Amino acid sequence: MEDIRSITREQLEDFLLSKNEKKFRAGQIWTWLWQKGIGSYDEMTNISQSLRDLLASQYTFRHAVIAQEVQSKDKTAKFAFRYYDDALVEGVLIPSGERVTACISSQVGCPLGCSFCATGTMGFVRNLHYSEIFDEFMLMDRRARELYGNGISNIVFMGMGEPLLNFDNVMTAIDRLTAKDGIGLSPTRITLSTAGIVKGIKALADRKFPCGLAVSLHSADPVVRSAIMPVNEHHSLHDLQAALVYYHQKTGERITFEYLLLSKVNDTRQAAEKLARFCRPFPVKVNIIEYNETPGGLYHRSYPNQREEFIDYLKGCNMVVNVRQSRGQDIAAACGQLVKNKR
Ligand code: SAH
Ligand code: SF4
């Protein structure tokens, strides 16, 4: 049976009309599904029991549940979501002043296997459906209101998985989250992070992607990048740079890079020079990330003086550089620490 949240608004209207129901019911049902984010037909209080039964006889209603919640001493909260098939993914809430940022997963596991990332070690299980991504938002938004008094203000697709390898579902989820008849978040409050899927970046450019884009670069040296990010084998730095030139031309946006400093791997003076050279064709912002330990991790954080030299070199090239503080490390909720095995 098809899931009620797999169909379009038009399909819902057609179904209701074919059953001699009024068209405006579709609007009411849509609001329950995509604005109020309910978890079952029983919650549709302005819909008659007979219509609810009719819907239930035609469409299943799959809804995620929170399987686990852990809170950090810095108020970050990490959640495990369980889906209909027992698949689990993680999401994180990061409060900061009035702002609450939700870090959302796009896949169960990840096929790209970066050597520094805990998610990469668990392999790939499956893509998340857009309604499953939407559920992560809804469930965490409700908890954010309870925990911090504010709902989610910002979303980053920096949880488990590579969003551009689940392109259509991620785009539809963003559509539901930003739609007027959905959650209505501003696209400027959403950031998608990619390991550098060339075709996906071009597709974003073609649709003038209204959200933020961040590219996890981590090295501008082909040998080093391939060693830590196998994705580089099929999405070379050369092709990635060309795709980003295209993205900049189409959107006029600055390119944001994530750069994870790994001691003696990608934090040398030579590495900084290569990074600066790679960034020449477009205006950039570089977010420097500190390495978070992962189980059995192979790497070490850069020494503070090495990090400062690296940053100073980039700033000397007139590049915009930010140092990102990691949160939630005590509960393994920081970047790259998300991993979940079945049950
Ligand atoms: N797959 C996408 C989005 C999820 S990863 C991507 O790779 O961009 C989100 C961010 O966390 C990426 O920038 C990733 O490189 C970073 N990350 C992964 N492992 C990390 C670790 N151990 N410490 C710090 N950051 C890490
Ligand atoms: Fe996948 Fe991103 Fe982790 Fe690499 S860093 S394994 S692309 S989730």
Side-chain angles (χ1 to χ4, degrees), residues 17 25 32 36 41 147 172 198 205 219 225 250 260 266 332:
L17 290 174
R25 293 282 175 214
W32 284 114
K36 302 194 169 142
Y41 290 117
L147 291 169
T172 307
V198 168
S219 173
R225 194 165 195 265
K250 286 271 176 174
L260 172 61
N266 63 358

Side-chain angles (χ1 to χ4, degrees), residues 59 84 116 311 329:
Y59 301 106
Y84 71 97
F116 46 79
I311 293 170
Q329 287 176 51

Side-chain angles (χ1 to χ4, degrees), residues 110 116-118 157-163 193-195 214 216 218 258 260 289-294 335-337:
C110 180
F116 46 79
C117 172
F157 279 88
M158 294 189 185
M160 296 161 69
E162 168 50 50
S193 176
T194 177
S216 298
H218 308 327
E258 309 289 323
L260 172 61
I289 318 177
E290 284 196 307
Y291 174 61
N292 299 311
E293 299 290 330
T294 62
C335 288
Q337 295 184 317

Side-chain angles (χ1 to χ4, degrees), residues 131-321:
S131 62
E132 297 178 315
I133 298 172
F134 184 85
D135 281 349
E136 292 182 63
F137 172 87
M138 276 322 301
L139 291 167
M140 285 199 282
D141 187 58
R142 217 164 287 156
R143 286 298 289 137
R145 286 169 206 278
E146 290 162 4
L147 291 169
Y148 318 120
N150 289 317
I152 293 168
S153 58
N154 296 68
I155 295 176
V156 291
F157 279 88
M158 294 189 185
M160 296 161 69
E162 168 50 50
L164 295 187
L165 291 180
N166 186 14
F167 195 88
D168 291 343
N169 281 309
V170 168
M171 290 306 126
T172 307
I174 290 176
D175 179 65
R176 298 288 191 272
L177 292 167
T178 54
K180 290 265 181 315
D181 64 359
I183 300 299
L185 272 181
S186 162
T188 57
R189 291 172 176 269
I190 300 178
T191 300
L192 184 155
S193 176
T194 177
I197 304 300
V198 168
K199 217 174 110 194
I201 293 170
K202 287 188 184 147
L204 291 179
D206 286 333
R207 56 163 66 212
K208 300 219 167 33
F209 190 52
C211 308
L213 176 68
V215 178
S216 298
L217 192 64
H218 308 327
S219 173
D221 177 301
V223 176
V224 175
R225 194 165 195 265
S226 288
I228 59 178
M229 299 180 74
V231 65
N232 194 63
E233 298 283 333
H234 297 107
H235 299 257
S236 70
L237 283 165
H238 180 268
D239 293 348
L240 177 59
Q241 193 184 45
L244 293 171
V245 166
Y246 184 70
Y247 188 85
H248 173 63
Q249 277 169 356
K250 286 271 176 174
T251 63
E253 291 295 322
R254 188 183 280 276
I255 306 295
T256 300
F257 289 114
E258 309 289 323
Y259 198 101
L260 172 61
L261 282 179
L262 304 170
S263 183
K264 299 194 167 63
V265 176
N266 63 358
D267 65 347
T268 59
R269 169 65 179 250
Q270 210 190 14
E273 286 168 7
K274 287 191 173 158
L275 173 58
R277 209 171 308 137
F278 183 82
C279 292
R280 257 186 227 151
F282 26 67
V284 299
K285 182 168 91 184
V286 178
N287 290 328
I288 298 292
I289 318 177
E290 284 196 307
Y291 174 61
N292 299 311
E293 299 290 330
T294 62
L298 305 161
Y299 303 103
H300 296 287
R301 281 189 176 190
S302 296
Y303 293 105
N305 60 335
Q306 194 65 38
R307 193 181 69 200
E308 292 319 309
E309 276 177 37
F310 192 90
I311 293 170
D312 287 346
Y313 179 83
L314 299 181
K315 286 186 173 162
C317 300
N318 286 322
M319 292 163 70
V320 179
V321 186

